[in-house]
Amino acid sequence: MNPNDEPPRILPDATARPEDMLKAAPGPERAPAPATAAAAGYEPLLAQFAQDFLRDRRAERRWRTFFRLLWLGLVLFLFWALFFQPHHVTAPNTPHTALVEVRGEISADTEASAELMLSALRSAFEDQGAQAVVLRINSPGGSPVQAGIVYDEIQRLKAKHGKKVYAVVEEICASGAYYIAAAADEIFVDKASIVGSIGVLMDGFGFTGLMDKLGIERRLLTAGENKGMLDPYSKENPRQKAYAQAMLDQIHRQFIAVVREGRGDRLKETPEMFSGLFWNGEEAVKLGLADGLGNLDFVAREVVKAEEVIDYTPRDNVAERLAKRFGAAMGEGAVKALRQLPAIH
């Protein structure tokens, strides 16, 4: 065949059917039948995948919206609780006994802080319906500074308003708590209450022996020869120890003077009375540290003669407790560092 010759053309048969002509017509090669079947098998899987994906996205949006609404509700609740919820009980004008709680450790950052107690005491004394003020005490003590502030304020309010103050001891009234109780005109206890512990302490630890065994060297730099005083990782300095002891003795004398002033001739002093010992309620009455046995209801009914009791103690609401917990979590590192310092009780 000559290369220049045209290939023979195939003329359509007039009698041929269209579908036969399509089958016979030249065109691209068709995919094998198995490949077409496989592609058709993936289509349901892809459709199911798309449906699952859309369903997950919708669920994700719903949960995101739910949590946003939840946080919004929490913020609105905190706002309402902080600014619209009453913090103090509105006392009636009828005669009643005013109650102020002294509960837990006496410290600047607790419910028994001087700031909170002074606010409650002023409200109780200023109320015309309050016939007397009762301190219900259940505290092991704490800061002598906080206790001293409360003691002085009670004395001032008593002189200003001319109202009696009674202390009612529940489980324990020791150390700084008894410092406050000494300001009361009378102290009532349960026969099994713990009363006393008239003393002062400063606690800490010394690790020098352990550090020597482990081969650890303490490297402390100070500007001022006494700046590292009572450092637990340094050897004890006799001169600094004597200085700290003199300071404790002075605070102890202040404590003793307050107890003697408050109890007066009722106090039956013994050599152990101001040694830091404590007694049960029955023995405390015998020693003059307390005046008698009785609880809050007894004092309100039989002593004050106003059986209705109104609590003036400030209470943190839910929002304030949550706020304090958030603040405590954020400042936890600082608190741990401060707790390493020696404390005076």
Side-chain angles (χ1 to χ4, degrees), residues 24-229:
E29 295 184 359
R30 297 182 180 180
T36 303
Y42 283 123
E43 289 180 0
L45 294 177
L46 291 174
Q48 184 64 38
F49 175 79
Q51 291 177 0
D52 293 342
F53 177 76
L54 291 174
R55 186 168 55 250
D56 291 342
R57 291 298 301 271
R58 293 192 190 101
E60 183 181 347
R61 285 196 297 269
R62 284 195 296 267
W63 280 110
R64 189 184 303 117
T65 303
F66 169 77
F67 282 113
R68 285 174 178 172
L69 292 174
L70 182 64
W71 279 109
L72 177 61
L74 179 60
V75 170
L76 291 175
F77 171 75
L78 292 175
F79 181 81
W80 171 82
L82 282 171
F83 296 102
F84 296 101
Q85 189 177 11
H87 289 66
H88 302 282
V89 176
T90 302
N93 293 325
T94 57
H96 61 271
T97 298
L99 172 65
V100 176
E101 299 268 11
V102 183
R103 190 170 299 274
E105 182 184 1
I106 301 169
S107 178
D109 56 354
T110 65
E111 292 184 3
S113 67
E115 180 182 3
L116 292 178
M117 280 193 282
L118 262 57
S119 174
L121 287 167
R122 289 166 186 162
S123 298
F125 272 97
E126 291 170 1
D127 195 295
Q128 298 298 323
Q131 304 302 295
V133 179
V134 174
L135 305 171
R136 183 160 62 181
I137 300 174
N138 189 7
S139 169
S143 166
V145 175
Q146 297 289 306
I149 293 172
V150 176
Y151 176 91
D152 293 340
E153 184 65 8
I154 292 174
Q155 298 287 49
R156 186 187 73 84
L157 292 171
K158 284 168 59 178
K160 179 179 179 180
H161 296 279
K163 293 182 180 180
K164 294 281 189 178
V165 176
Y166 301 96
V168 174
V169 179
E170 290 189 333
E171 301 292 335
I172 182 170
C173 176
S175 193
Y178 191 80
Y179 194 121
I180 294 174
D185 295 283
E186 293 184 63
I187 300 174
F188 293 88
V189 297
D190 183 85
K191 57 183 178 296
S193 299
I194 300 300
V195 181
S197 188
I198 303 171
V200 187
L201 66 85
M202 176 183 289
D203 54 356
F205 296 92
F207 299 98
T208 54
L210 178 62
M211 291 169 63
D212 291 340
K213 290 181 180 180
L214 297 176
I216 300 173
E217 179 185 0
R218 172 64 165 166
R219 296 174 180 175
L220 176 65
L221 301 177
T222 64
E225 58 178 336
N226 293 310
K227 188 60 179 177
M229 179 176 171

